[in-house]
Amino acid sequence: MTELTQADRLAKARAMREAGVDPFPARGVAAQPIASITSRAGSVEAPGPAIGERVTVAGRMAVPRDFGKLIFAPLFDRTGRVQIGFQRDVLGDWWPRRKWLDAGDLIGITGEVGRTHKGELTIWAREVQLLAKSYAPPPEKWHGLVDIEQRYRRRYVDLWATDGVMEVFKKRSKIVSTIRRFLEAQGYLEVETPTLHPIFGGAAARPFVTHHNALDCDFYLRIAPELYLKRLIVGGLERVFEIARNFRNEGLSPRHNPEFSMLELYEAQADYRRMMELAETMLETVALEVNGTTKVSFRGRDYDLKAPFQRVRYTELFREHAGCAFDDQPAVRRRARELELADPGNYWKLMNDVFEATCEEHLIGPVFCTDYPVAICPLAKTNPEQRQLAERFELFLGGMELGNAFSELNDPEDQEQRFAEQVRSKDPEAPGEVDIDYVQALEYGMPPTGGLGIGIDRLVMVLTGQDTIRDVLLFPAMRPSAASDVAPAAT
RNA sequence: GGGCGCAUAGCUCAGUCGGUAGAGCAACUGGCUUUUAACCAGUAGGUCGUAGGUUCGAUCCCUACUGCGCUCACCA
């Protein structure tokens, strides 16, 4: 036992066992969802069909209000909350056992649906069953869990103790399932590709490294599923998607968690224009499905996810806000010095730093920023009309990158050269060796393909109005708790 | 990694210009059959994050450490 257990609760459990009652019985009760009862009960003026009905509910009991011979206590399950009324004159033999119950206990109640004098919907208990004793007391009833660290560390408490938390995660689940249905309806196949990668690629990020004992070699936790999914396009699956957990060894921020979920999809015969349409239609559909509206409020600003989204060219945005052409090297370098940007040692990286410093704040959106300089797009096809540009876009909302897409580069020779260039750069975020296996896949022929990535966590942030990524992750990354906080080993 | 801030009862917080601490809720005892942050009376509960230092004396002042929050940096 840990310091969370309260002696009086433990003592009650022992008293129960002595009386032949198991505080942790093997089986639960067949209970109806509370919401199914409250929704049928109607109003005080027009009581619905549930009134008078005998029902069984199960859930966690909140703090009881004790009147001596009458006790009221709220009970809640995953669907809702209802008041339970315990009466001495109804409960008979069970009545003395009421003292065994504490706030936070999991109980099952069978009783009649009714109302109090004040009209509150109440289930008047006839049978009470303790389903599991709660040794640790719930958080303070009015303030709830306010310590942010504790909220994340003890999400299992936060989910029911903090208003709105469960709602966010239910919505997250609905967002993901809506995306699956949307893509399946378009003939997409959901696939799973490796998380352990011998070479990291498909994005620019520092990887986590791990070791496989039997093979005695290092693996990287994937930073993106991209290169495996495109192998499947070579394999002829033609339309694939994966909702992949990616791992990037980077700092934490309100927008970054070291492990995060990314939707990536690839479609043969498509290009980045089709990906734009797919992205905006998908977001519009998901918003309507989970929120009933395309309007969202995020970080104090209102947005409309109704398709089509605005489109703006990277190069035009650059000229407008950076004040020079993206390929005017002397001017861009001058601008970078004015902005006091550190020189990354590579012109195109510097140029993109200037872009981020001057343009991203203007990408309120939802907006597609299109036609990136090809030099910063190692996996995207060159625009046939403008050889300096790639067929690529990023989707922004509120200055935050939500998505990234391009017409996939399928020329193996070109791809090999771009990989080789990355390796030469010695950039810690670029792979250390050319992914020959991927180049070989392209040598068999990959059809013209459009690919799209959407950050699921960030999309959930937008659709649920949460400011930080940690509020849409059930268990956000945190430093392991200090030894003193860890429960001592069982004795 | 840098800066700023926080750490006191199970929870939420107050407090001590340096003399080892209080409230509300939760708990416990008693009362109450219509409350909904129930109420009334009483009881109990704290190595004041950890380790040093200054001091007659530290929860308070100083230093370091640990954890967390905000922020900057990092982050396609």
Side-chain angles (χ1 to χ4, degrees), chain A residues 400-412:
Chain A
M400 181 170 77
E401 183 194 338
L402 266 189
N404 184 17
F406 25 89
S407 302
E408 304 298 336
L409 179 61
N410 61 348
D411 176 339

Side-chain angles (χ1 to χ4, degrees), chain A residues 32-88:
Chain A
Q32 305 175 29
I34 286 173
S36 76
I37 297 161
T38 54
S39 66
R40 286 184 298 121
S43 62
V44 180
E45 297 74 29
I51 297 290
E53 195 181 321
R54 179 167 289 210
V55 297
T56 297
V57 292
R60 198 179 288 276
M61 185 178 81
V63 183
R65 294 179 286 277
D66 188 341
F67 289 83
K69 297 179 185 66
L70 168 73
I71 300 169
F72 291 115
L75 183 79
F76 55 90
D77 67 9
R78 70 185 187 286
T79 69
R81 179 179 284 259
V82 72
Q83 175 166 273
I84 306 297
F86 303 83
Q87 298 169 99
R88 185 191 64 178

Side-chain angles (χ1 to χ4, degrees), chain A residues 191-204:
Chain A
V191 297
E192 292 176 276
T193 62
T195 300
L196 299 176
H197 289 189
I199 301 171
F200 65 96

Side-chain angles (χ1 to χ4, degrees), chain A residues 96-117:
Chain A
R97 300 180 162 189
R98 71 192 184 283
K99 301 280 187 192
W100 286 344
L101 296 186
D102 288 296
D105 284 352
L106 295 153
I107 59 173
I109 297 290
T110 298
E112 276 87 42
V113 180
R115 290 189 184 280
T116 63
H117 295 170

Side-chain angles (χ1 to χ4, degrees), chain A residues 1-10 134-139 145 150 153-154 156-157 485-488:
Chain A
M1 305 302 299
T2 77
E3 70 284 356
L4 284 180
T5 284
Q6 291 215 322
D8 58 298
R9 291 175 181 241
L10 198 58
S134 170
Y135 286 165
L145 252 190
Q150 290 305 317
R153 287 202 193 279
R154 300 198 206 280
Y156 48 85
V157 174
D485 288 349
V486 174

Side-chain angles (χ1 to χ4, degrees), chain A residues 171-190:
Chain A
K171 206 177 257 190
R172 178 174 179 132
S173 173
K174 198 168 177 185
I175 288 166
V176 171
S177 68
T178 303
I179 289 172
R180 286 204 161 95
R181 267 181 283 122
F182 175 87
L183 291 173
E184 282 163 4
Q186 305 221 10
Y188 275 83
L189 191 73
E190 181 169 10

